[in-house]
Amino acid sequence: MITPEVIAETKRMLGRQLAAYREASGMNQRQLAPIINYGRSTIANAETGYSICSRVFWERCDQALQASGAILSGYDDLQNMIRNQRLDTARLIEEQRLDRCLQHHDTHLAASGDPRPESADHAWSPHTAADTVDAMKRRTALALPALPLFAATLPPAEPWLRLAHAIEHPGQLDELTLETLEARTGELFQLEEHLPARRLAAHLDAHLNTLERLLGGVSSTLECRLLTTLGEALALAGWVAWDSGQYTSARKRYLRALTVAGEAG
């Protein structure tokens, strides 16, 4: 896992790279500032690694110092590292949260001693029999070519608060919140390879409900991506339902996935 210390050192390395190119060009910070249309203090903060600045800043520096893309490439590498670190952190938090939820769920079932059999009409009953080893192996064969796309940028803070806001205010779904939902879908696919179907069912159901609620008011620029992640989640839900013997529910999930795929093109 990428640590904050590694990111901090990478920022300082990028700053030193900028300073080296600037000095090689024979300019000081005050001379470079008007050329790139940024203040001297911004350049100083970037060179010490105190501030990352925007991609436009590094692009202008790269052009002004004739770095042939080296400075801009260093900035892009840093941003990729930050994205991966956020994703790793989000995955760890989500795994811990899921473990707590599952422990609470299992404790509740054990305490209630509810003997009711699973209803054929209820796709996500917690009373489904534990999966067999063969069933677990069958599900590991399911893989989506698009799964690496879920390793996207996560928001730096409070992603679930933004999600709650988007649900309460249709039409205000932003790109960072959508990326959180995409990452969540990818995590469910990864967890599906290791957990019994019944332990994923409730989380899948809640995730699908969230995606469906957001679909109505999403902007046209984000609609295709939201439809795509909804379709992927529906495909997983259909597989889990089928593997649990819930064939009617599985058919409904797959038919909905086909409809969504058509809408997404």
Side-chain angles (χ1 to χ4, degrees), residues 172 235 241 248 265:
Q172 296 189 21
T248 300

Side-chain angles (χ1 to χ4, degrees), residues 161-225:
L161 289 179
R162 279 204 302 275
L163 177 57
H165 177 80
I167 292 174
E168 294 299 323
H169 301 83
Q172 296 189 21
L173 177 67
D174 59 24
E175 186 169 0
L176 289 178
T177 305
L178 178 55
E179 288 170 349
T180 301
L181 293 168
E182 291 172 332
R184 171 61 172 158
T185 304
E187 289 166 2
L188 288 171
F189 269 94
Q190 292 171 349
L191 288 172
E192 191 270 342
E193 297 180 1
H194 307 288
L195 296 179
R198 68 180 183 86
R199 303 188 70 184
L200 277 178
H203 300 282
L204 269 168
D205 204 19
H207 187 53
L208 286 170
N209 287 338
T210 297
L211 295 172
E212 293 280 11
R213 288 181 65 182
L214 291 170
L215 191 57
V218 69
S219 66
S220 57
T221 55
L222 299 180
E223 184 178 28
C224 184
R225 285 175 57 187

Side-chain angles (χ1 to χ4, degrees), residues 79-91:
Q79 286 299 323
N80 287 333
M81 183 179 295
I82 292 173
R83 281 194 288 269
N84 289 333
Q85 193 268 346
R86 288 174 180 169
L87 183 57
D88 288 342
T89 300
R91 282 175 175 165

Side-chain angles (χ1 to χ4, degrees), residues 39 63 93 101 110 145 155 179 184 187 197 214 246 249 259:
Q63 293 173 352
I93 293 173
C101 289
E179 288 170 349
R184 171 61 172 158
E187 289 166 2
L214 291 170
Q246 300 295 318
S249 177
T259 299

Side-chain angles (χ1 to χ4, degrees), residues 46 57 59 116 125 140 142 176 181 209 223 248 265:
F57 169 83
E59 187 174 16
R116 290 175 298 172
S125 169
T140 61
L142 178 65
L176 289 178
L181 293 168
N209 287 338
E223 184 178 28
T248 300

